Amino acid sequence: MTAPTVEPVTRLIDQPRVDLYAVAARDPNPIHRETPEAYSGPFGRPVAHGMLVLALVSEVMTNAFGEAWERGGSLKVRWRQPALVPIEVTARATLRSETDGVATYDVSCEDAAGEALLTGTASIRLES
Amino acid sequence: MTAPALAFDSLSRGDAFPAVDLVVTGADVRAYLEATGEPADRWSDRVPPVMLSALMLATLLAQVEIPKGIMHTGHEHESVRAARIGEALRVTVQVTSYSVRRGALMASFDTEARSADGAGDEVIAISRASVLVPPADGTTSATEGNAE
């Protein structure tokens, strides 16, 4: 199998989406919701969960690799700036290397202005 | 839901939390996909890897008091295979680093999910979450990480 091109995914992350995510991911941190803690916090408003932003990276890899992404796929990322909601996020993965049957992609999530919210790598063993 | 028992600043490197049993239902997966916006049709019988990673992290959040201003700065995840919907899993969490620099507390937590079905003890996924708690005076840059 040759490492495929990974198509980007763009999605609006708004407060209703964040609220749903807080319940689904069992993350009670009030900084993500419309709470006094969020408005008095360092960002002055609610911030999307980092793992919600990261979910878009996993989605683009699943789109490209299907179930193979679940068998030995790995991610290593750092968040670069907070995703202040509402925000339009685009997840990308660009092939960096293909060595010994393992493809490594540079991955990122960007806001609508192209500012990086998250960067890192994703690796996957290419199945024959 | 019971209140977390442990204060974050009482943790130290090497601390291991009691294993937590986890079963992800179909309703759980549908709620997660509704939230993320990912198409649901491909996940009729399996758990998305990053969902499992988030729930592994949630086992930590359920046991430790969340400090004000905590930021999730980095994350690693390796999926050995997808967890099946309804599969009995066992999640363990360990503190792998814990330090204070210029008043900011930095810590990382390794989590591991194993199948608890039958006699197997198979690793399903491993994750590492890195977090930063800024000093109380808020001098840490807001661009150092994303709140989690």
Side-chain angles (χ1 to χ4, degrees), chain A residues 11 17-22 24-32 37 40-43 47-60 62-63 66-67 69-84 117, chain B residues 1 22-25 28 31-39 42-43 46-51 53-55 57-58 61 66-82 124 130 134 142-148:
Chain A
R11 184 155 301 134
R17 187 179 295 287
V18 170
D19 292 346
L20 287 172
Y21 185 86
R26 304 172 193 175
D27 187 332
N29 191 340
I31 201 165
H32 302 299
E37 290 90 339
S40 64
F43 312 116
V47 182
H49 303 75
M51 293 297 285
L52 173 54
V53 177
L54 180 60
L56 269 69
V57 175
S58 189
E59 180 179 338
V60 300
T62 300
N63 290 345
E67 292 187 30
W69 173 240
E70 306 158 23
R71 295 188 292 268
S74 63
L75 287 164
K76 184 175 183 177
V77 302
R78 291 194 69 79
W79 286 278
R80 301 298 174 184
Q81 59 179 316
L84 303 175
L117 304 168
Chain B
M1 183 173 171
L22 174 68
V23 175
V24 184
T25 68
D28 292 335
Y32 175 85
L33 295 171
E34 182 183 2
T36 63
E38 181 171 354
R42 60 169 70 122
W43 299 112
R46 303 179 322 283
V47 180
V50 170
M51 177 186 183
S53 200
L55 294 179
L57 187 59
L61 299 176
I66 303 170
K68 188 177 180 184
I70 191 170
M71 292 182 279
H72 192 173
T73 54
H75 200 84
E76 300 174 37
H77 183 80
E78 180 178 343
S79 175
V80 178
R81 69 162 171 84
I124 306 292
S130 301
T143 62
E144 285 189 55
N146 201 2
E148 185 60 43

Side-chain angles (χ1 to χ4, degrees), chain B:
Chain B
M1 183 173 171
T2 55
L6 286 173
F8 197 90
D9 59 9
S10 72
L11 300 177
S12 59
R13 182 180 174 188
D15 284 351
F17 295 84
V20 173
D21 292 332
L22 174 68
V23 175
V24 184
T25 68
D28 292 335
V29 172
R30 287 190 295 276
Y32 175 85
L33 295 171
E34 182 183 2
T36 63
E38 181 171 354
D41 51 353
R42 60 169 70 122
W43 299 112
S44 61
D45 59 353
R46 303 179 322 283
V47 180
V50 170
M51 177 186 183
L52 179 59
S53 200
L55 294 179
M56 291 161 69
L57 187 59
T59 67
L60 170 68
L61 299 176
Q63 297 180 76
V64 178
E65 193 176 318
I66 303 170
K68 188 177 180 184
I70 191 170
M71 292 182 279
H72 192 173
T73 54
H75 200 84
E76 300 174 37
H77 183 80
E78 180 178 343
S79 175
V80 178
R81 69 162 171 84
R84 295 182 294 274
I85 288 174
E87 181 174 12
L89 304 172
R90 184 156 295 149
V91 178
T92 55
V93 182
Q94 185 165 21
V95 182
T96 46
S97 70
Y98 192 94
S99 62
V100 178
R101 279 184 227 162
R102 284 184 244 164
L105 193 161
M106 284 163 282
S108 60
F109 300 88
D110 281 7
T111 58
E112 182 178 86
R114 289 177 174 264
S115 174
D117 271 347
D121 189 27
E122 173 193 10
V123 175
I124 306 292
I126 55 175
S127 288
R128 172 170 290 180
S130 301
V131 301
L132 179 147
V133 182
D137 63 8
T139 53
T140 301
S141 165
T143 62
E144 285 189 55
N146 201 2
E148 185 60 43

